[in-house]
Amino acid sequence: EDKVVQSPLSLVVHEGDTVTLNCSYEVTNFRSLLWYKQEKKAPTFLFMLTSSGIEKKSGRLSSILDKKELFSILNITATQTGDSAVYLCAGANTGNQFYFGTGTSLTVIP
Amino acid sequence: NAGVTQTPKFQVLKTGQSMTLQCAQDMNHEYMSWYRQDPGMGLRLIHYSVGAGITDQGEVPNGYNVSRSTTEDFPLRLLSAAPSQTSVYFCASSYIIRWGRGTEAFFGQGTRLTVV
């Protein structure tokens, strides 16, 4: 059975902290790992990772994929209140199916 | 630059009523899908389509019907609403990339459905 598991389920940090969100996956015919940010409405795309060990970076956010261990992490440095959201991880297979985890709810306190 | 448009944004139904959630995309995406999102359950796939005239079931298809008569539109029908169908529904679309790294899914703004 294809599945994606995220941890922790929720996280509360203070502004300026660095956080690491985890995502493990078991997806048959795996093609890519995607991260989304969801703030009370539609998920918005952050990263797509297809190769192991190559870090993707966008501002204070970065992500990396380990295809041997079937694992990805999303790092957020110098967190801000605007980073408060649910972060979703999804594994995509070669048939274009996306398997989503339950998400990590991040709350950043001023 | 519309992207994926879902209507309505909110809906309250009585048990046993039927309704259709509309989804339209203007990006010429072949792949369209419907998810429901419930607390603690993540996004679960209801139905999907890889092109006009082709639909298939996802993880939780019971009680829902879809059709894909055009590339742009992918409506979701609730046949006889039940309280268990209270949820937030998202439509998503993407290109089908047969080779290489794949592509991301683009989401509509969601429909919050309450069945009483």
Side-chain angles (χ1 to χ4, degrees):
Chain A
E1 182 189 345
D2 299 294
K3 63 179 180 182
V4 172
V5 178
Q6 292 185 245
S7 64
L9 289 180
S10 65
L11 202 49
V12 180
V13 301
H14 291 278
E15 264 192 326
D17 287 350
T18 293
V19 298
T20 298
L21 310 184
N22 304 300
C23 175
S24 64
Y25 65 91
E26 293 177 32
V27 174
T28 306
N29 297 321
F30 173 82
R31 169 182 267 170
S32 60
L33 191 290
L34 299 97
W35 285 96
Y36 286 84
K37 178 181 182 183
Q38 187 176 24
E39 298 172 272
K40 297 202 185 296
K41 42 187 180 180
T44 54
F45 173 72
L46 294 174
F47 296 112
M48 180 167 65
L49 303 132
T50 55
S51 302
S52 273
I54 299 175
E55 186 183 55
K56 290 261 179 127
K57 202 169 169 61
S58 175
R60 296 174 294 102
L61 278 65
S62 63
S63 184
I64 199 160
L65 176 67
D66 184 334
K67 290 172 77 173
K68 184 179 174 188
E69 299 296 328
L70 307 183
F71 192 81
S72 175
I73 60 172
L74 175 69
N75 279 323
I76 309 175
T77 59
T79 51
Q80 302 171 357
T81 54
D83 295 326
S84 295
V86 174
Y87 290 84
L88 296 168
C89 169
N93 65 16
T94 53
N96 238 70
Q97 299 272 51
F98 296 84
Y99 298 90
F100 284 86
T102 54
T104 293
S105 176
L106 174 66
T107 303
V108 181
I109 300 171
Chain B
N1 202 8
V4 180
T5 303
Q6 272 184 250
T7 55
K9 287 190 170 59
F10 302 94
Q11 183 71 49
V12 179
L13 286 180
K14 292 183 179 176
T15 298
Q17 285 185 316
S18 62
M19 79 158 294
T20 299
L21 280 62
Q22 301 291 344
C23 176
Q25 52 90 12
D26 61 359
M27 296 173 281
N28 207 29
H29 286 166
E30 304 102 321
Y31 188 92
M32 296 186 74
S33 53
W34 278 101
Y35 294 88
R36 60 178 289 174
Q37 187 174 36
D38 303 292
M41 303 289 287
L43 285 158
R44 292 184 292 168
L45 183 65
I46 305 171
H47 284 286
Y48 66 96
S49 168
V50 298
I54 306 169
T55 63
D56 208 343
Q57 295 181 350
E59 182 186 353
V60 288
N62 291 341
Y64 307 96
N65 217 346
V66 292
S67 59
R68 184 101 179 263
S69 56
T70 66
T71 299
E72 295 77 19
D73 299 299
F74 191 46
L76 177 73
R77 295 183 189 84
L78 277 71
L79 308 170
S80 177
S84 60
Q85 293 178 304
T86 294
S87 187
V88 180
Y89 291 84
F90 287 100
C91 178
S93 72
S94 65
Y95 290 112
I96 293 179
I97 307 292
R98 290 177 175 80
W99 307 104
R101 56 195 294 271
T103 183
E104 71 268 31
F106 295 80
F107 285 84
Q109 290 301 302
T111 297
R112 185 173 293 276
L113 175 69
T114 302
V115 183
V116 297

